[in-house]
Amino acid sequence: MRYPKLFEHIAALAPLPASEWLKAEALAREQSLDKRALFLRPGDSADRFGLVLQGVFRAVRVSARGEESIKAFRAEGEFIGAYAEMLQGQPSMTAIEALEPGRVLAFQAQDLQSLEAGHPSWAQLARRVAERHYLLKERREQEFLDLSAEERLERFWQEHPHLHGRVPQRDVAAYLGITEVALSRIVSRRRKRAE
Amino acid sequence: MRYPKLFEHIAALAPLPASEWLKAEALAREQSLDKRALFLRPGDSADRFGLVLQGVFRAVRVSARGEESIKAFRAEGEFIGAYAEMLQGQPSMTAIEALEPGRVLAFQAQDLQSLEAGHPSWAQLARRVAERHYLLKERREQEFLDLSAEERLERFWQEHPHLHGRVPQRDVAAYLGITEVALSRIVSRRRKRAE
DNA sequence: AGGCCGCCTTAACCTGGGTTAAGCCCAGGT
DNA sequence: ACCTGGGCTTAACCCAGGTTAAGGCGGCCT
């Protein structure tokens, strides 16, 4: 087994025999990405996804107006890919970009499907992944509905302390749905209040 | 089969033998709700869910500050329940309320689990449901990130034309994340522009 | 019929965040 | 050592949406 830590991480989501994991490893390929390199670019077919071995990634959607908004940050052990588009068989409308030099274990969606045909635990895992993704988005929905930008910022750092110092301020802003300028204002307001 | 239309609706999500559906019907019970009645109230265990036979329902979260925000509207054929809390085994933080007199086919989550043990198509269905819920929330996330309140309103009516006249303005506002007053302003602005 | 209540609108004023633009600081490249 | 550029801050001004408060208009109940 080449990636025991990743296996543990995955098996914690849904029980998975090591033998199945080994089959998956055989289908995957490791990929290194420079800082700023794209794991997935908009327009690509969304049939690839990856598990982060090293580094932090951002999932970016470029809107019709040309503005970037950030759907998620993903670090070690986490899933990267255009999940929504994959489910719908559409080309990716999302870019996945490395914020630091990183390494990813990359899979083809169809390989997963063949694993699924061979053992039921993969379907179970896929279900857990869907449920988990749902819970993340549902939490975010609630934050947009109930919280001010300042409160969302506070939550963000509570929930993602491991991203500290690894993601640029402007990207945090694009994640919160505000501008860099507004974020800077909020930060300095908080700083003053804290004195 | 007592609910053929519902069966069709469900089977369109994931193939389901009629025999399995009949087992589900046997476990379910039909429930009528007056206007304003709650199918689920905050604090209830989240182990019940329903399929709407008749009527429109709203899923409401009451925030810490006491403000209502609306997570979803659900009409005929759709799922109602505190899905997130159900997945996490938590008590419901959501109220599900009938906006009109309605009827629901109500299930216990644990009954579904026993069906799942008996036939694999239930697991498949559960996965599809999770994926579908995810896609809904992901679209909403995108709307909050990229669109103004006015644009969100426009989308709302595009995507939910069947709710026309069935949901009060103030609830639409609470769904969009704005106040009743702001919504009224937007509507009249649009009215004037249309002349 | 009368009264009330729920729902919507309008208006006046306030505030958070957007926009534009200038400037700062630091890291990297030559 | 210098320049450059990327990332962050600050300031001035603007606008969408929040807040509060007052009315309007049905529909429903007795």
Side-chain angles (χ1 to χ4, degrees), chain A residues 138, chain B residues 40-43 59-61 71 81-82 85 91-96:
Chain A
E138 136 108 16
Chain B
L40 203 68
R41 69 197 70 224
V60 185
R61 179 197 280 97
K71 295 166 62 179
E85 295 91 325
S92 174
M93 296 183 320
T94 310
I96 312 278

Side-chain angles (χ1 to χ4, degrees), chain A residues 61 65 69 71 83-84 87 116 126-127 131 133-134 137-138 140-142 145-146 151 175, chain B residues 61 65 69 71 83-84 87 116 126-127 131 133-135 137-138 140-142 145-146 151 175:
Chain A
R61 177 196 280 99
R65 290 194 205 57
S69 56
K71 295 167 62 178
Y83 186 59
L87 291 178
E116 231 180 287
R127 175 175 169 186
E131 291 172 350
H133 272 78
Y134 168 77
K137 292 307 176 193
E138 136 108 16
R140 212 146 136 65
E141 165 190 72
Q142 184 248 332
L145 283 170
D146 298 346
E151 293 166 314
Y175 179 85
Chain B
R61 179 197 280 97
R65 291 193 202 59
S69 55
K71 295 166 62 179
Y83 186 58
L87 290 178
E116 231 179 286
R127 175 175 168 185
E131 291 172 350
H133 273 76
Y134 169 77
L135 289 172
K137 292 306 176 195
E138 136 108 16
R140 212 147 136 65
E141 165 190 72
Q142 185 249 333
L145 283 170
D146 298 345
E151 293 166 313
Y175 178 84

Side-chain angles (χ1 to χ4, degrees), chain B residues 108-168:
Chain B
Q108 289 297 126
Q110 67 183 68
D111 291 343
L112 247 274
Q113 274 159 29
S114 68
L115 287 174
E116 231 179 286
H119 194 283
S121 60
W122 291 107
Q124 176 64 13
L125 179 63
R127 175 175 168 185
R128 280 285 149 70
V129 167
E131 291 172 350
R132 217 180 159 63
H133 273 76
Y134 169 77
L135 289 172
L136 286 175
K137 292 306 176 195
E138 136 108 16
R139 182 163 342 178
R140 212 147 136 65
E141 165 190 72
Q142 185 249 333
E143 291 171 1
F144 280 116
L145 283 170
D146 298 345
L147 303 179
S148 67
E150 178 161 358
E151 293 166 313
R152 294 206 299 282
L153 175 64
E154 193 151 351
R155 283 255 189 124
F156 178 80
W157 288 125
Q158 273 172 29
E159 287 174 16
H160 308 282
H162 57 291
L163 294 180
H164 223 97
R166 300 178 78 184
V167 339

Side-chain angles (χ1 to χ4, degrees), chain B residues 61-72:
Chain B
R61 179 197 280 97
V62 179
S63 78
R65 291 193 202 59
E67 289 141 19
E68 292 192 343
S69 55
I70 296 205
K71 295 166 62 179

Side-chain angles (χ1 to χ4, degrees), chain B residues 17-85:
Chain B
S19 57
E20 288 298 314
W21 172 254
L22 285 169
K23 288 191 208 164
E25 281 192 353
L27 293 169
R29 80 171 242 284
E30 192 174 319
Q31 182 178 358
S32 289
L33 291 120
D34 295 333
K35 182 170 176 171
R36 307 250 91 191
L38 300 178
F39 174 75
L40 203 68
R41 69 197 70 224
D44 281 4
S45 145
D47 58 359
R48 306 175 70 228
F49 67 90
L51 297 171
V52 179
L53 295 166
Q54 180 71 242
V56 176
F57 292 76
R58 57 176 200 162
V60 185
R61 179 197 280 97
V62 179
S63 78
R65 291 193 202 59
E67 289 141 19
E68 292 192 343
S69 55
I70 296 205
K71 295 166 62 179
F73 297 103
R74 294 287 158 80
E76 286 80 8
E78 297 184 300
F79 172 100
I80 54 176
Y83 186 58
E85 295 91 325

